[in-house]
Amino acid sequence: MRAPVTEVSTPPPALQRERSIATLVVAFADDPVIRWFLPDAPSYLRRFPELLDLFAETALQAGDVDVAGQDAGAALWHAPDAQLDDKRLVGLMYATVAPERRPAAFGMLEQMAEHHPTEPHWYLPFIGVDPTCQGQGHGSRLLEQGLARSDRDRLPAYLEASSPRNRALYERHGFVAFAELQVADSPPLWPMLRLPA
């Protein structure tokens, strides 16, 4: 029997940032693509929160940060007018990724940039559920909250799926994969688009 889904909330900004980052660090601990970028635990635990903080900052300035239940899950949404600090992102990735992995890692980032839509859209760079809370509908509820904004604005929603399981969840919510990205020994990454309802 599935546990009841608790409501998705939008806490005050300081709490949004802290709670969403903590939840996403736990949720992405076994993500194939993120762990390809950061394969060793010390680097992951030190650097991934810094990366999330950059995306959370943008979400708080131009978008939304949603938290499900008692920090069961979190989603960072960037609105159509969001401006990610690309220079800071490149610097952070350069400091984060091991030197021998940088050519492939930056090759993956270039492919991601090439496939990112240029028309106005809502972008979901990160969504995750604490592994102890998975299978209870939190991910779906977080998606529904963000997709309601996309539908309200009559704009597409875009994300990149980093595992077959995530891809299947996104497909159930109307996303369609339009490419498969892979560089060197990386796991596949699927850019996905959903048109507004």
Side-chain angles (χ1 to χ4, degrees), residues 8-142:
V8 172
S9 64
T10 305
L15 274 179
Q16 284 178 309
R17 197 167 184 160
E18 179 183 339
R19 291 170 61 183
S20 63
I21 289 172
T23 300
L24 291 170
V25 166
V26 172
F28 276 81
D30 66 348
D31 181 81
V33 174
I34 293 297
R35 294 314 299 269
W36 176 75
F37 279 108
L38 296 165
D40 65 282
S43 293
Y44 175 77
L45 292 173
R46 184 175 66 252
R47 296 296 190 177
F48 189 51
E50 295 176 17
L51 181 66
L52 288 172
D53 188 61
L54 172 61
F55 283 88
E57 179 181 309
T58 303
L60 287 167
Q61 290 173 352
D64 284 286
V65 175
D66 298 321
V67 178
Q70 296 299 309
D71 304 317
L76 308 179
W77 285 93
H78 290 181
D81 58 349
Q83 294 293 317
L84 187 68
D85 186 341
D86 289 333
K87 185 175 179 182
R88 185 175 157 202
L89 175 61
V90 169
L92 187 55
M93 290 302 294
Y94 190 83
T96 296
V97 177
E100 65 276 7
R101 193 175 291 267
R102 283 182 193 144
F106 279 94
M108 176 64 86
L109 291 176
E110 286 172 15
Q111 283 195 27
M112 291 170 67
E114 288 169 10
H115 288 83
H116 201 103
T118 55
E119 71 273 7
H121 64 282
W122 278 88
Y123 175 45
L124 179 60
F126 290 103
I127 180 172
V129 175
D130 183 327
T132 65
C133 302
Q134 289 178 0
Q136 300 174 20
H138 297 296
S140 289
R141 185 68 186 93
L142 285 163

